[in-house]
Each structure stands twice: as C-alpha cells, then as structure tokens.
Amino acid sequence: MASTIKSTDLDFTNIKQKLKSHFQSKTEFNDYDFEASGISNILDVLAYNTHVNGLTANYSLNEAFLTTAQLRSSVVSHAQTLGYEVKSSTAPKALVNLSLNLTGVSGRPAQIELATGTTFTSSIDGISYTFRTREAVYAQDDGTGQYVFKASDSTENIAIFEGIEKVKTFLVGEKDERQVYVIPDVTMDTSTAVVEVFETASSSSFVTYTPLSQAININENTLHFSIYESPNGFYELNFGDGISFGKSPEPGEKVVVKYLSTKANLANNGTVFSPSSTITINNVNYTLSTVTATESTGGSPKQSIESVRQLAPIAFASQKRLVTSLDYKGMIESNFPQVKNVAVWSGDQNLPMDYGAIYLSLNFENGISDAVKQSVKDAIVGNYTNNLSVMSMTTKFTDPIDVFMEVNVNFQFDPALTGKTLGAMEPDVYQFVQGYFRRNVENFGAVFRKSNLQTEIDALDASILSSNISVKASMRQDITINALNTFLLNFPVKISTPDDVLFRIQSSAFEFKGVVATIKNKLSSTVLQVFDLDGNILLDNVGEYTPSTGIIAVNSFEPSQIISGQPYLIFSVSPETESNIKPLRNFILKLDTARSSTTAIVDRQTTSLEVTV
C-alpha cells in the first residue's frame, strides 16, 4: 500500500535515530553503546546516504511534472513538449513622427532614406536607453523642402525599438552531425530575430528564413526557423529536418542571426526621443525633427515560471484554434505582453444577450496609451480571431468596469506586545490592505473574501488581537451638470434590501437648486430621493434600485455642480453579502483608497486587577 513521504522523514537526525532504534531492538546489540562505538560512524554514513538519495529522488520526481517543477529549465522543457513557445524578453516599442526641413536648400534630393538601425536615445528615470528603427523609411520632398518620413504601411508613425542590435554567425557542419546553434544571450528578444543563410562563408547572396509561427504550408522546401530557450537560459536556433518538415541549411553554408538584446520593461514609458546622429545633405549636417506619437511600451522580461505553468496547458488544449473562452484567454495573454489579463465571455452570457458574438475585455498594464491599446485590439482580430476561430463569431471589445471597495478595518491593538505605537500600526495595516488588493483582487475573476483578509490582518502582528471589517461597494458615474441625466449603474453584487433605519444607497455630494445634497434611498423603500445635508427631502423620486440585480436607475436628474470638482458622482451601496463578492464578465474590484480606513482600538489584555488584602 502506497503512503505519503513527509519531508521531515528525510531529516538526517531522524534517519539516524530510526537506524539506531532498529539495531537496539536486536538482542545481539542489547549492551551496545551506539554513541561511543565505531558503529556510530557507520550509522552516519548510512543516514547520510539515505538522506541524500531521498532528497534527490524527491526533487527529481517534482521536476518531472509541469505542475510541481521548481526549476525554470524544467518548466520550460515541459512547456516545449506541449508545443508551447515560452516568451523571451520583449523590447519596448515607441511610435515617432520624423521630418526634416530643407526649405531654401539648393540641390536637395527628391527622396531621403533613413537606413535600418537609425538610433535614438531616451532618458527614463535618469538612465539613457537606445532605440532604433527595424526597417528603412523614406521621405519625399513636398516641393517646399519639407520631408515627412513614412513607414512601409504608408503611415507617418515610425516604429522604434529599444535594444542593442547583435549578430551571431554559424557555419553549418556535416549532415551526419546534429547541428546545434546556440545564441548565448539571456536578454534576446526572439521576436526581432532575422535569420539569413549564405551559400558560403564568403558569399554575399543569401536567403531569408521566416519564423515557424508564420508558416502556412510546410514541406521539404519550406524556409522556416524556430528559436527555443535552452536549459541554461540561452536560446537555441532550429531548422527543419530537410525531409518533410522544412529545409535545413546545407553543409558549408553560413547562418547569420541578427536580433535585439533588450532591457525589457526598464525602458518602458520613454516619452522624448532624440536622434543620435544627423543627416548629411550636400556635406551639411541636419537634425531630424522628432515628435513622439506614443511612448515606449510593451517591454517585458522573460515569461515567468508561473505564467508558463498556467498558459502552456491552455495553449496545448487549444491546438491553435479558438473555441472556448480559455482558448481566447491563452492566446491573448501569451502573445500580447501589454495585456495583464483578459476576460472572455460569449454573447449568450452578455447583458443584454448577443448571440453570435464573443466579448473580450482587456486589462492593460499601466501606462499603455490609447493608440497602443487600439493596435493590440486590431492585431487580435486581424491575426488571430478572424483566422483561428472555428465558428463564425463576431469579436467585440468592451472596456473593464471598475467597482471600488470601501473597506473599513477596526482592530484591537495591545501596544505591550510590540515595539510599535498605535500611530505606526494603523498605517502598517492600511498599507497591508492595499497590498492585499493588488496581489489578490485587482484582476478579472478575482473574488474578494472578507474572511481571508481578516485572517491575514489578525496574523500580521502579535499585537493585533482581533479585527472587524465593514465593506461597501461603489461605482463612478459621469455627470453632465445643468442637464438632465438618466443612467443605469449595474453593480456585480446584490444590494441589501431596504431597511427602516439604514440607508442602502448613498451618492457623493452635489449642488441641487442651490443646496448641497446627496441621493439616498427612501427608508424601507427602493425609491431614490434627493436629500439636503440636514435630511430634508428636495426631490421625492429620482429613480429606484433593484436589490436582486444590483441595478440603480436614475431618471431626469439635473445637478448644477459636483462638490468634489470631479466630473462624476460616486454611488455607494451596501452589498447583501459582505463576506463574498465575486464579479463576473468585465468587472474588476479595486480598493477605494480615499474611502477606506484602518482604526486601532487599544486593548491592553495584559492589564489585570490586583486584590489587596
């Protein structure tokens, strides 16, 4: 019968003690002093050998499976057996508009070429990074001496990428040898690799191979390559077998790989790009005019172990086709580093129902511009959903909707159990709550469980004796002042039913007919009313809320000013169940830092009364 081996069973001291107990149970060793005898040394050797072999077997078994492997090399290897391409570091990309003014210059050319690899510099957090073009761009004289450079797609947005361009050269050996082409660079961006194969080491003519991911039909003459991460973190270049799975370079040919070595996410958020060199026209140097269209974004380090562990099985299950929501999710998160995570649902799950559609909501990384967001959406539709979807489904995008959690923590605090004061402990707990939301809640599909947060707060410090948490949910609604506003707010939670003492709905303050007011529900009713700050009713019916659906409906509401100065009102509700809030579709729970608090209550549990006799 199989049994579970505990890690404590592999402890050296425990193993030796078990061996000693075994020998002591034998009659021939009744009078033996195991500590002072030579057999103690033998027991040390046996225990050590058992300890090492046990640990080795335990670690080896763990590394044999994707779900338990801890080493990056093991996780990457398992992912590759599933046909999953582990993402390398990704170079940040920016879009710039380039122009040159040669007005009044005689003998100016009709066309100016900006060569591939033209460099620009950008300072980010005091560190200078180099960006470069990856294709030649051209500008035509408009007749007045103004030159505007255009990319190959005829747009004025020129793409520049951060990184140092590197070149690695290989000579192809004999066919009976396995050709291994290792690129010794852990910061390589494999998506920028260009592979050229020359006929001889001195030849100037070459053919360009394309990435395997772009291959449509594969036969013995297909010119494609693939690059995989090797166990030591470098990258290995592979070709077809030369028989049925693509053409392989012939012996004596030269393989040249050009690529970018990048600083990845460190070079994100660059906003100003200065050309590193000038353009020479008729022996006179001129400086390019550079205008930033979008800041540098998209840079990311190597795909993390946990990301590989999660996405590799999804990619394997999808088999490069899009059927289930997990197929879409895996495809987007694997190919677009700008997207933190994605929510996917079909039209029959939408409100209102929309059959024949697939809805995508993308949660982008911070700092991504609107232009980049749109380019990502266009690429998803153009390169993936239109080609890989096995059914005729219309792809529709919808923005994430933020639902803010107002979390107020009261905790009992005994200063005698810590070196911290009450004034220091309150901000510590508040920062912990902020971190908890960032780690566990602020993503699509993440569930807020009050008991989990409360347990972690209680375990934060020995001086925290107990805690209590109250929770409300709120949403922002854009308001047009001095105009009639009619809108619906759809909360992802059921709202508490009316009470004769407590208000279930309350808005932030605004000015209504010259009076500062708020919207609240009528006590014991779902009807919404406008109250002044003294509790007098200014408007007896401005809408209603439906507890079972979480919908707030406001009709013909005309404020003259919003007191906070913001263009929106905040509507705060009491959830029917505070302990468990699970948003669906494109809702994301976030902590409302302005309306959340932590309050300590001193409870000196070590204080006792002494009775004097």
Side-chain angles (χ1 to χ4, degrees):
M1 177 178 172
S3 60
T4 301
I5 299 176
K6 298 180 180 179
S7 58
T8 53
D9 292 338
L10 301 178
D11 179 71
F12 173 83
T13 303
N14 289 343
I15 294 172
K16 182 178 179 180
Q17 183 59 46
K18 288 181 178 180
L19 288 171
K20 188 187 299 183
S21 298
H22 170 73
F23 283 110
Q24 287 174 338
S25 65
K26 303 297 182 181
T27 56
E28 55 264 44
F29 292 102
N30 279 343
D31 300 325
Y32 227 87
D33 184 357
F34 286 91
E35 295 303 326
S37 64
I39 201 172
S40 179
N41 294 327
I42 298 177
L43 292 179
D44 285 341
V45 173
L46 291 173
Y48 178 77
N49 185 63
T50 304
H51 171 73
V52 171
N53 287 340
L55 289 177
T56 301
N58 186 54
Y59 292 148
S60 298
L61 190 61
N62 284 340
E63 295 302 314
F65 299 94
L66 177 62
T67 54
T68 56
Q70 299 299 309
L71 297 177
R72 180 178 179 85
S73 58
S74 301
V75 174
V76 169
S77 177
H78 291 307
Q80 289 173 355
T81 61
L82 296 176
Y84 181 74
E85 183 180 350
V86 178
K87 301 303 176 185
S88 67
S89 299
T90 304
K93 171 186 173 182
L95 297 178
V96 294
N97 301 143
L98 305 176
S99 60
L100 189 65
N101 186 357
L102 297 181
T103 302
V105 176
S106 60
R108 61 179 181 260
Q111 176 178 280
I112 298 176
E113 176 186 358
L114 205 59
T116 302
T118 300
T119 59
F120 302 79
T121 59
S122 180
S123 179
I124 304 170
D125 295 331
I127 301 176
S128 180
Y129 296 91
T130 300
F131 290 73
R132 65 188 66 238
T133 58
R134 296 287 291 166
E135 65 175 3
V137 295
Y138 301 88
Q140 306 289 335
D141 186 353
D142 69 349
T144 66
Q146 293 288 343
Y147 295 78
V148 177
F149 289 89
K150 294 186 177 181
S152 57
D153 59 0
S154 299
T155 66
E156 297 179 4
N157 291 331
I158 310 299
I160 55 175
F161 299 84
E162 185 277 328
I164 300 173
E165 188 163 73
K166 293 186 178 181
V167 179
K168 183 66 177 176
T169 303
F170 305 95
L171 292 177
V172 182
E174 297 299 326
K175 274 194 171 181
D176 57 351
E177 301 175 359
R178 180 180 181 273
Q179 302 299 310
V180 179
Y181 309 103
V182 176
I183 303 170
D185 192 340
V186 297
T187 61
M188 175 186 188
D189 180 354
T190 58
S191 66
T192 65
V194 176
V195 177
E196 300 170 345
V197 177
F198 295 77
E199 293 179 353
T200 65
S202 58
S203 176
S204 59
S205 62
F206 62 87
V207 293
T208 301
Y209 280 56
T210 58
L212 178 61
S213 59
Q214 299 177 10
I216 300 175
N217 296 316
I218 300 177
N219 54 42
E220 68 277 8
N221 296 316
T222 304
L223 301 179
H224 71 256
F225 70 89
S226 56
I227 298 179
Y228 299 106
E229 184 177 335
S230 59
N232 60 1
F234 294 157
Y235 290 91
E236 183 177 329
L237 174 66
N238 293 275
F239 296 95
D241 57 8
I243 301 174
S244 60
F245 197 60
K247 185 177 181 180
S248 178
E250 297 294 330
E253 291 185 334
K254 180 176 69 172
V255 178
V256 176
V257 184
K258 302 175 183 177
Y259 65 92
L260 289 183
S261 179
T262 179
K263 300 294 185 182
N265 56 310
L266 297 178
N268 284 337
N269 305 318
T271 55
V272 179
F273 302 92
S274 304
S276 303
S277 58
T278 57
I279 295 180
T280 302
I281 305 293
N282 299 333
N283 297 321
V284 178
N285 295 329
Y286 297 91
T287 302
L288 275 171
S289 174
T290 306
V291 176
T292 302
T294 65
E295 64 181 20
S296 59
T297 59
S300 62
K302 281 185 177 181
Q303 189 175 0
S304 68
I305 291 176
E306 290 308 315
S307 175
V308 175
R309 199 193 311 276
Q310 176 187 13
L311 295 178
I314 296 175
F316 176 73
S318 70
Q319 295 293 305
K320 290 190 177 296
R321 80 319 183 229
L322 301 176
V323 179
T324 69
S325 60
L326 283 179
D327 296 341
Y328 286 86
K329 177 180 175 66
M331 175 272 294
I332 295 172
E333 293 183 0
S334 296
N335 293 283
F336 297 94
Q338 304 94 332
V339 179
K340 185 186 302 182
N341 63 341
V342 58
V344 186
W345 66 97
S346 57
D348 63 310
Q349 298 174 322
N350 192 60
L351 292 177
M353 288 191 290
D354 185 10
Y355 293 104
I358 188 77
Y359 281 83
L360 306 178
S361 187
L362 309 180
N363 185 17
F364 286 93
E365 296 285 355
N366 294 331
I368 304 296
S369 66
D370 291 339
V372 173
K373 291 179 181 179
Q374 187 59 49
S375 68
V376 168
K377 294 177 182 178
D378 293 341
I380 289 173
V381 175
N383 299 337
Y384 294 95
T385 60
N386 283 353
N387 299 323
L388 301 180
S389 178
V390 299
M391 294 180 289
S392 179
M393 302 289 287
T394 302
T395 303
K396 296 185 178 181
F397 293 94
T398 184
D399 293 331
I401 299 176
D402 292 334
V403 177
F404 293 88
M405 305 297 296
E406 301 172 11
V407 178
N408 296 291
V409 180
N410 294 303
F411 62 95
Q412 283 66 46
F413 168 69
D414 188 346
L417 300 178
T418 183
K420 296 181 179 180
T421 64
L422 183 147
M425 184 58 71
E426 284 183 345
D428 282 355
V429 174
Y430 183 76
Q431 291 174 9
F432 175 80
V433 173
Q434 287 182 304
Y436 178 87
F437 268 79
R438 286 193 300 268
R439 294 188 304 271
N440 303 296
V441 181
E442 295 180 359
N443 278 317
F444 288 123
V447 181
F448 172 76
R449 302 185 190 279
K450 186 170 75 170
S451 61
N452 291 354
L453 175 59
Q454 193 166 340
T455 298
E456 294 200 26
I457 290 174
D458 291 346
L460 188 61
D461 193 280
S463 62
I464 299 177
L465 308 179
S466 62
S467 61
N468 180 55
I469 301 175
S470 63
V471 176
K472 287 188 177 182
S474 64
M475 294 180 68
R476 276 67 168 147
Q477 173 62 42
D478 290 337
I479 297 294
T480 302
I481 60 175
N482 296 318
L484 293 177
N485 292 266
T486 299
F487 54 85
L488 292 177
L489 279 178
N490 188 358
F491 280 81
V493 296
K494 294 181 179 180
I495 303 175
S496 297
T497 55
D499 185 80
D500 58 356
V501 176
L502 301 175
F503 292 103
R504 303 305 194 185
I505 311 289
Q506 182 166 347
S507 75
S508 55
F510 55 89
E511 186 177 288
F512 182 77
K513 295 182 179 180
V515 179
V516 177
T518 63
I519 294 177
K520 299 178 184 178
N521 69 289
K522 181 180 179 181
L523 293 177
S524 302
S525 171
T526 61
V527 173
L528 302 180
Q529 299 177 319
V530 177
F531 293 80
D532 65 15
L533 298 185
D534 294 326
N536 300 311
I537 299 174
L538 304 179
L539 186 62
D540 63 359
N541 191 334
V542 72
E544 65 177 345
Y545 81 96
T546 307
S548 61
T549 61
I551 294 177
I552 295 177
V554 175
N555 303 312
S556 302
F557 167 57
E558 186 176 1
S560 56
Q561 183 182 349
I562 298 175
I563 301 303
S564 66
Q566 300 292 337
Y568 56 78
L569 281 179
I570 299 174
F571 283 81
S572 179
V573 305
S574 299
E576 181 183 72
T577 304
E578 293 185 3
S579 59
N580 180 26
I581 297 178
K582 182 179 181 179
L584 300 176
R585 294 182 292 275
N586 56 327
F587 289 101
I588 297 179
L589 301 180
K590 293 186 176 181
L591 181 68
D592 190 333
T593 55
R595 291 180 163 224
S596 298
S597 65
T598 54
T599 304
I601 302 172
V602 175
D603 182 356
R604 300 183 183 274
Q605 68 169 3
T606 55
T607 302
S608 60
L609 295 176
E610 295 184 2
V611 179
T612 303
V613 179

